[in-house]
Amino acid sequence: MNVILLNDYAYENGGASVVAYWIVRQLSVYANINILIFAGTGEFDPAICNLSNVSTYSLKQYDILTDPCRLRAVCKGLWNYEAAARLDNILREYDPQDTVIHVHSYQKVLTSSCIHMAKKRGFPIVMHLHDYGMICPNLAFYDFQRNEICRKYALGLACLRTNCDARKYIHKLWRFIRGCIEKVCVGLPDCIDAYIAVSKLSANLFKPYFPKNRPSYILPTPSFFASNNFFTPAKNKYFVFIGRLSPEKNPLLLAKCAYELRIPVMFIGEGACREDVLKANPEAVVTGWLNKEQVLKCLEEARCAVFPTLLYETQGLAVEEALSCGIPVVVSDVCAATEVVQHEENGLIFRSNDEESLKACLLTMLDNDIVARMSLSAKKLFQHRRGESDHYIDRLLNIYIHTLEKSVC
């Protein structure tokens, strides 16, 4: 079997890339599987290049945000002719009957032109749904202007009229045009042979847009963070937020509630809301972005991890990072992280953006006995989840095989 992974970046710079390269490392141990990573920008990690049965190819282009020529970025971001041509030359060396294309990310560099070329050549395609970008113009089913979930039908007339982009309407209009190109010229999402969602929630959100006769799988991403350490949060004082300090992640709500309740709070991350957070809670600790080891060190001081996001999210790996260390969590009821949180067992679920509901949860987490009990439950439930994750690659290979068999038929 040949597996060609399409990913915008040749390095790990976000959730999609982390998953893509973890999969590459796991598949590299199979002698009967040849892997090619086709990336849009950046240099590959030498450790990836040295893996058995792994080939790499990077276009080394700019991504949309870093391209100094903005006109080129606008045009190439809609349709990357060079990327499609380069991929076409590579695909000539492969047979669609034993080769599957696994797409992780494509909208920052590669564009849907690569998907179009792969389908033109008759290759079966598996799409990994790390975000909502294949359907929603702003990738999140979220109105960033109103700071609320968007329930309009994606790429419909109401969608077109709505200024939901975090910046300006012209950006939304460009993304809408890109979505129309992907839908009309490429055939997304109908042209995809199989979809992989990372949670039940995201799978349900995608469902109205997918053809009923196309296989869709739910494959939760394993936690890559889990340590062998088991912390004792009941002895700690900090309520910890992990993530981008932006309005949709709602750090300001936690800052306000913590200040009013006189609860020590720590924010691990950076973003536009940093100053607002410190203004609302002058006693808050804001660390900025930290590497995994530094985050782990901070979690040693955590009593509880709080995720007040307003977004649907697709899975919520940061929640699992906390649970893996035995730290109970408090999460909003709109995100997919609720699928790994059992209310009053390993954490608490509060009504999204509801100040009183969040305060009640925070006060509950001040009880040492409750935190200690939830900590033990968190570790136990996470280990069970980790056991299921051990079969991740087996399930992924079955998806590849089923997709290839169906394509040949």
Side-chain angles (χ1 to χ4, degrees), residues 161-342:
R161 291 193 295 263
T162 303
N163 176 17
C164 58
D165 196 277
R167 294 162 295 181
K168 298 179 180 179
Y169 181 67
I170 189 67
H171 295 98
K172 160 62 182 286
L173 186 60
W174 180 88
R175 288 184 170 190
F176 189 93
I177 293 170
R178 180 178 65 181
C180 290
I181 290 173
E182 293 176 357
K183 184 175 182 179
V184 176
C185 300
V186 181
L188 288 174
D190 294 12
C191 69
I192 300 301
D193 296 277
Y195 315 100
I196 297 178
V198 295
S199 65
K200 294 178 182 177
L201 183 145
S202 63
N204 287 334
L205 289 172
F206 278 114
K207 190 174 181 179
Y209 300 91
F210 291 166
K212 295 181 180 179
N213 62 345
R214 210 60 47 83
S216 181
Y217 305 90
I218 300 175
L219 197 57
T221 303
S223 174
F224 311 109
F225 185 88
S227 70
N228 294 320
N229 298 311
F230 183 66
F231 302 143
T232 52
K235 299 179 180 180
N236 299 331
K237 65 177 183 177
Y238 281 109
F239 286 68
V240 177
F241 173 102
I242 306 172
R244 190 170 61 255
L245 302 183
S246 55
E248 69 274 11
K249 296 288 187 177
N250 212 13
L252 193 57
L253 178 66
L254 174 58
K256 290 178 179 178
C257 291
Y259 188 72
E260 292 177 13
L261 298 174
R262 316 308 299 176
I263 289 174
V265 63
M266 179 187 298
F267 293 86
I268 302 175
E270 191 58 83
C273 290
R274 179 190 177 97
E275 295 305 317
D276 290 334
V277 165
L278 290 173
K279 185 177 180 180
N281 191 335
E283 299 173 4
V285 176
V286 181
T287 67
W289 290 119
L290 302 176
N291 61 35
K292 289 184 178 181
E293 290 72 24
Q294 292 170 323
V295 172
L296 188 62
K297 192 68 177 177
C298 288
L299 287 178
E300 288 187 54
E301 303 180 53
R303 181 179 189 84
C304 169
V306 186
F307 301 89
T309 181
L310 299 172
L311 290 166
Y312 282 129
E313 306 285 1
T314 49
Q315 183 173 1
L317 290 178
V319 174
E320 298 192 35
E321 292 172 1
L323 293 174
S324 73
C325 299
I327 298 172
V329 298
V330 175
V331 302
S332 72
D333 61 2
V334 299
C335 65
T338 55
E339 294 175 21
V340 296
V341 178
Q342 294 185 11

Side-chain angles (χ1 to χ4, degrees), residues 109-122:
V109 187
L110 300 176
T111 75
S112 59
S113 65
C114 291
I115 297 172
H116 174 72
M117 183 56 66
K119 291 307 297 183
K120 184 178 179 180
R121 287 281 175 190

